Amino acid sequence: MPHVTIQYTANLDPEAKMGVLCASLAEVICAQRDGDGRRVFPIGGTRVMAYPAFAHAVADGAPDRAFVYLNVRIAPGRAARLVAATGEALMAAVRSHFAALFATRPLGITLQIDEGAPAFDAKHSNLHPLFTGK
């Protein structure tokens, strides 16, 4: 982890460049460091995925209303200040990405970070070894 899931109203698709946003958020996550310069999150565990909601109603339901929800799921154990710094950095990237759209249409953006121990957690991956020592 972290895993970022982005749900957004599909009426943003023509302009939102969600693939660019996903890449940008992955860079922000990988750039996070603690006070000793160590990575806060493993590169190999970073996932950012976006899903359009084709059926949606935002606010009063007018067709130009748009919404972006970002849920960041992290494993427990990181200092609260590191989690908050990560959230602020991610939100800054999101705000920058959507600045032009935000200036021209109604748009709501929510970013939440959830931390918790899963009741069940199974993994099968060969990604982490690619980044050992980085």
Side-chain angles (χ1 to χ4, degrees):
M1 282 195 197
H3 298 169
V4 180
T5 302
I6 306 168
Q7 298 172 346
Y8 64 97
T9 54
N11 60 357
L12 289 172
D13 262 341
E15 306 167 272
K17 299 179 182 140
M18 296 307 285
V20 172
L21 178 61
C22 289
S24 172
L25 297 179
E27 288 177 17
V28 168
I29 289 167
C30 291
Q32 299 304 298
R33 299 288 193 275
D34 66 13
D36 295 325
R38 293 183 301 251
R39 288 187 187 281
V40 175
F41 303 103
I43 296 173
T46 301
R47 317 274 192 270
V48 183
M49 298 160 282
Y51 302 94
F54 294 101
H56 60 272
V58 177
D60 62 355
D64 66 334
R65 311 301 192 238
F67 184 67
V68 180
Y69 173 71
L70 301 98
N71 179 259
V72 183
R73 179 106 173 115
I74 63 172
R78 291 171 181 87
R81 65 179 171 69
L82 296 175
V83 174
T86 299
E88 293 294 339
L90 289 169
M91 192 59 170
V94 171
R95 288 176 62 126
S96 176
H97 182 83
F98 286 111
L101 283 173
F102 197 86
T104 62
R105 68 180 302 168
L107 173 61
I109 301 169
T110 298
L111 185 146
Q112 294 179 320
I113 298 180
D114 294 334
E115 177 185 75
F120 176 81
D121 186 21
K123 294 176 179 65
H124 181 68
S125 173
N126 60 4
L127 292 168
H128 288 277
L130 297 173
F131 305 101
T132 301
K134 290 190 177 185

